């Protein structure tokens, strides 16, 4: 059977792709170079193949959109069609990220989430199976092509303005701040002793250090500091694993899903908080109609204060990180995270002993938790939540995010995540440039009638609870409906 027979009979393929010269195929239709087995990762990375391709198949959007299953996954980047089915398990950002864009145009998300395009293109090259037919638009027909073009032009403008270049002095000072807080906590304990007043004092110092480490690891995880991905990855291990005791791979695989499909059921794991909380307009009605009542959802806004705020970091994130590391056998992350606990035992063990040091670690996580919970939830929970609507990148991000007013304190307290819209549109952009690009983003929103939401910090905090109350009311209406 020839390569072309793989797609035969669908009636929507517009053209044929000639196979590579010397290329053979196995029963599962994965290419084999000259009968010597599958193309190795090294070959993929170098972009080398035995012989160059002669021509490419051309496809319609109708055909591409059929390949949107886990076992049959195509996507489009810059009008080129890629079959990434065999690559998903090796994708550094996790398999689900690719699955969320199956059968769709992924041009803007590809540019948003990657740093060194020349290297990434080498991995894409062996996955190329064709291109869009000439008469087909560059993205699905339901998307606003002019908006897509204007956003891409905005990105090119920002690249010309060097808005994606990091100020290393800024990030160095931020890193030094963290180290000073850690050192100061130990010095105060060494000098004044481990009495209760001093223990409370150093706990607050360590809480500030941990929260600021959270923001720094977020920057590094998005490749927004160094120009080389490998340096970002190495520094991410140090900050996330060694300074915070959490897995980088767990965070990447979870957080990137949130970024590419924010507030979209069931693709965004950050809004999958049932059965403890019901958020948005869809989930409460679904639970209500099915007469599901795990807890009293009428009071879920109170559970947010009692459980959501204090337990996010020490229980939910910490246990989930450990579970993923163990089940997925992330030995590198396990070693790095172990160094976090070893450092704490060496540093604080002489003052508190092993059990006391463990209590200190989790007390600090308990104090940090409300800070991180408020900052991460204020920009998304009050915004639109929906099932997949296949919107363009710009619209998807703007509808699901909101900003908080800028001030020196707000910038520091939120790690510049008060510019959530700009961050979601340009994840690899260094955060110190968000305020510079915000007027341009706001202007593009106004041109296309999209609301650019910007609110005071305390109102943003309050909107979380108000949204939980609204969702609870929707659940009640559906649950008690006769």
């Amino acid at each position: 059977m020839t390569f072309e027979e793989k797609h035969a009979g669908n009636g929507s393929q517009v053209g044929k792709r000639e196979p590579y010269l010397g290329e053979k195929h196995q029963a599962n239709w994965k290419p084999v170079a000259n009968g010597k087995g599958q193309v190795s990762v090294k070959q993929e990375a170098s972009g080398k193949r035995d012989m160059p391709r002669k021509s490419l198949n051309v496809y319609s959007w109708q055909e591409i959109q059929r390949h949107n299953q886990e076992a049959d996954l195509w996507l489009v980047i810059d009008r080129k069609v890629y079959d990434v089915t065999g690559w998903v398990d090796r994708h550094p950002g996790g398999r689900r990220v690719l699955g969320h864009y199956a059968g769709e145009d992924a041009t803007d998300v590809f540019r948003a989430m990657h740093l060194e395009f020349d290297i990434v293109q080498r991995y894409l090259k062996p996955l190329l199976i064709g291109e869009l037919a000439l008469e087909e638009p560059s993205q699905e027909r339901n998307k606003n092509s002019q908006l897509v073009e204007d956003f891409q032009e905005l990105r090119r403008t920002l690249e010309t303005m060097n808005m994606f270049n990091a100020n290393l002095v800024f990030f160095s000072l931020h890193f030094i701040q963290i180290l000073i807080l850690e050192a100061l906590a130990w010095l105060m304990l060494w000098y004044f002793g481990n009495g209760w007043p001093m223990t409370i004092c150093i706990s607050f110092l360590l809480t500030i250090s941990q929260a600021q480490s959270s923001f720094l690891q977020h920057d590094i995880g998005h490749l927004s500091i160094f120009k080389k991905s490998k340096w970002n990855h190495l520094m991410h291990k140090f900050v996330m694993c060694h300074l915070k005791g959490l897995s980088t791979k767990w965070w990447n695989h979870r957080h990137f899903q949130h970024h590419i499909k924010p507030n979209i059921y069931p693709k965004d794991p950050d809004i999958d908080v049932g059965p403890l909380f019901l958020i948005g307009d869809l989930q409460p009605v679904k639970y209500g109609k099915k007469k599901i009542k795990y807890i009293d959802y009428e009071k879920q806004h109170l559970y947010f204060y009692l459980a959501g705020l204090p337990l996010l970091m020490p229980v939910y994130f910490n246990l989930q990180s450990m579970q993923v590391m163990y089940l997925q056998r992330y030995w590198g992350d396990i070693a790095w995270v172990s160094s976090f606990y070893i450092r704490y035992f060496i540093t604080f063990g002489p003052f508190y002993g092993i059990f006391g040091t463990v209590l200190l670690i989790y007390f600090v996580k308990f104090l940090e938790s409300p800070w991180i919970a408020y900052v991460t939830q204020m920009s998304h929970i009050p915004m639109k939540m929906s099932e997949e609507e296949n919107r363009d990148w710009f619209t998807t991000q703007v509808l699901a995010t909101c900003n908080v007013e800028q001030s020196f304190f707000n910038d520091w307290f939120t790690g510049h995540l008060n510019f959530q819209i700009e961050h979601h549109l340009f994840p690899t952009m260094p955060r110190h440039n968000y305020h510079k690009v915000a007027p341009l983003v706001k202007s593009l929103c106004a041109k296309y009638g999209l609301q650019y939401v910007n609110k005071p910090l305390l109102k943003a905090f309050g909107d979380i609870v108000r949204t939980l109350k609204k969702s609870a009311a929707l659940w009640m209406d559906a649950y008690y409906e006769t």
Side-chain angles (χ1 to χ4, degrees):
M1 181 178 285
T2 64
F3 181 90
E4 290 87 336
E5 289 172 342
K6 174 183 176 182
H7 306 293
N10 55 45
S12 61
Q13 180 177 323
V14 185
K16 299 285 188 181
R17 165 193 178 272
E18 294 294 331
Y20 295 106
L21 295 178
E23 180 183 84
K24 298 180 182 180
H25 290 82
Q26 296 172 317
N28 60 2
W29 307 114
K30 293 183 179 180
V32 180
N34 288 334
K36 296 181 181 180
Q38 294 184 22
V39 179
S40 69
V41 174
K42 289 183 178 180
Q43 285 176 299
E44 290 176 352
S46 65
K48 294 179 180 180
R49 300 284 257 168
D50 292 275
M51 294 293 287
R53 57 179 92 239
K54 293 174 61 177
S55 63
L56 291 174
N57 284 338
V58 290
Y59 297 100
S60 67
W61 275 112
Q62 182 182 12
E63 165 63 17
I64 293 167
Q65 289 169 340
R66 292 175 181 171
H67 299 270
N68 62 352
Q69 305 299 318
E70 183 176 353
D72 184 17
L73 202 162
W74 294 9
L75 50 79
V76 176
I77 301 173
D78 288 323
R79 296 188 62 86
K80 296 292 189 294
V81 182
Y82 298 91
D83 182 351
V84 297
T85 309
W87 170 251
V88 289
D89 288 328
R90 289 177 289 165
H91 183 236
R95 61 180 297 119
R96 292 183 179 179
V97 170
L98 295 178
H100 292 343
Y101 265 87
E104 298 181 27
D105 174 56
T107 302
D108 288 329
V109 65
F110 174 78
R111 292 173 179 168
M113 302 301 292
H114 294 95
L115 188 62
E116 297 174 278
F117 297 118
D118 54 339
I119 295 178
V120 179
Q121 285 288 355
R122 296 175 191 172
Y123 287 90
L124 277 178
K125 190 175 181 180
L127 309 176
L128 180 64
I129 60 170
E131 59 190 356
L132 287 171
L134 290 176
E135 64 273 15
E136 292 288 336
S138 296
Q139 53 281 141
E140 301 92 313
R141 286 184 171 81
N142 62 295
K143 295 179 179 177
N144 187 333
S145 60
Q146 188 57 54
L147 171 55
V148 173
E149 290 177 12
D150 284 352
F151 172 71
Q152 292 174 354
E153 179 60 32
L154 171 61
R155 183 179 178 89
R156 288 191 289 270
T157 300
L158 298 179
E159 289 171 350
T160 303
M161 295 168 61
N162 295 321
M163 289 294 101
F164 291 88
N165 292 347
N167 183 339
L168 294 183
V169 173
F170 172 89
F171 288 108
S172 296
L173 291 174
H174 187 88
F175 182 57
I176 291 171
Q177 167 199 209
I178 294 168
L179 298 183
I180 288 176
L181 289 168
E182 295 261 351
L184 184 60
W186 182 85
L187 287 172
M188 292 177 66
L189 196 60
W190 172 76
Y191 188 80
F192 294 106
N194 62 350
W196 277 109
M198 190 51 53
T199 298
I200 297 298
C201 182
I202 69 160
S203 295
F204 278 103
L205 290 177
L206 292 173
T207 297
I208 297 172
S209 173
Q210 284 292 295
Q212 293 301 319
S213 295
S214 293
F215 301 139
L216 183 59
Q217 74 82 20
H218 181 258
D219 297 318
I220 306 169
H222 279 296
L223 313 178
S224 65
I225 297 183
F226 301 106
K227 292 184 177 180
K228 294 293 184 181
S229 296
K230 64 180 180 180
W231 292 112
N232 285 295
H233 293 320
L234 179 60
M235 192 64 179
H236 195 209
K237 292 285 187 189
F238 180 81
V239 176
M240 186 61 157
C241 298
H242 180 69
L243 293 185
K244 291 199 60 63
L246 296 172
S247 166
T248 56
K249 289 189 176 181
W250 159 77
W251 185 86
N252 286 340
H253 292 182
R254 176 191 174 92
H255 191 64
F256 294 164
Q257 289 183 74
H258 158 72
H259 257 271
I260 67 169
K261 294 290 184 179
N263 283 15
I264 294 177
Y265 296 112
K267 297 180 178 181
D268 181 358
D270 284 6
I271 62 174
D272 183 17
V273 290
L276 184 58
F277 297 104
L278 302 179
I279 56 178
D281 296 338
L282 300 179
Q283 192 179 39
V285 174
K286 178 181 177 181
Y287 272 56
K289 287 183 175 180
K290 292 184 177 181
K291 308 304 179 185
I292 298 175
K293 186 180 181 180
Y294 293 112
I295 60 174
D296 188 356
Y297 292 115
E298 300 173 45
K299 298 182 177 64
Q300 68 171 359
H301 62 287
L302 299 178
Y303 305 146
F304 175 72
Y305 290 118
L306 296 174
L309 288 179
L311 301 182
L312 177 70
M313 293 298 291
V315 177
Y316 183 63
F317 277 1
N318 201 60
L319 292 182
Q320 192 179 71
S321 170
M322 290 183 176
Q323 179 188 36
V324 170
M325 281 192 297
Y326 174 75
L327 294 178
Q328 299 297 325
R329 302 295 192 268
Y330 294 151
W331 301 119
D333 278 13
I334 290 173
W336 274 99
V337 169
S338 298
S339 73
F340 164 81
Y341 289 95
I342 292 171
R343 175 172 60 89
Y344 259 77
F345 289 136
I346 292 175
T347 306
F348 298 103
F351 303 100
Y352 296 108
I354 294 177
F355 182 71
T357 302
V358 172
L359 288 179
L360 176 66
I361 291 172
Y362 283 91
F363 181 60
V364 169
K365 289 182 182 291
F366 174 83
L367 293 176
E368 177 198 9
S369 191
W371 186 343
I372 300 302
Y374 268 125
V375 169
T376 56
Q377 302 307 309
M378 67 181 183
S379 298
H380 295 294
I381 284 184
M383 303 304 291
K384 175 182 173 65
M385 296 183 186
S386 66
E387 294 179 342
E388 181 60 75
E389 296 177 342
N390 193 21
R391 296 179 181 270
D392 63 87
W393 173 258
F394 183 81
T395 303
T396 297
Q397 304 303 325
V398 172
L399 290 178
T401 55
C402 67
N403 282 4
V404 167
E405 293 175 350
Q406 183 187 20
S407 70
F408 178 82
F409 174 79
N410 287 357
D411 290 353
W412 175 82
F413 184 80
T414 66
H416 286 86
L417 292 180
N418 50 328
F419 289 95
Q420 192 73 216
I421 297 175
E422 287 70 27
H423 168 61
H424 263 257
L425 290 172
F426 311 106
T428 59
M429 179 180 289
R431 59 161 126 151
H432 52 71
N433 287 333
Y434 291 159
H435 73 281
K436 300 176 185 177
V437 307
L440 297 177
V441 173
K442 188 174 183 179
S443 176
L444 189 57
C445 287
K447 179 178 179 179
Y448 288 96
L450 295 170
Q451 188 177 10
Y452 183 94
V453 181
N454 190 30
K455 62 182 74 170
L457 181 65
L458 294 181
K459 183 180 186 302
F461 288 170
D463 282 347
I464 298 175
V465 175
R466 284 185 281 271
T467 301
L468 290 173
K469 288 183 177 180
K470 176 186 174 184
S471 297
L474 292 173
W475 173 82
M476 289 170 58
D477 290 342
Y479 186 84
Y480 295 110
E481 182 181 4
T482 57

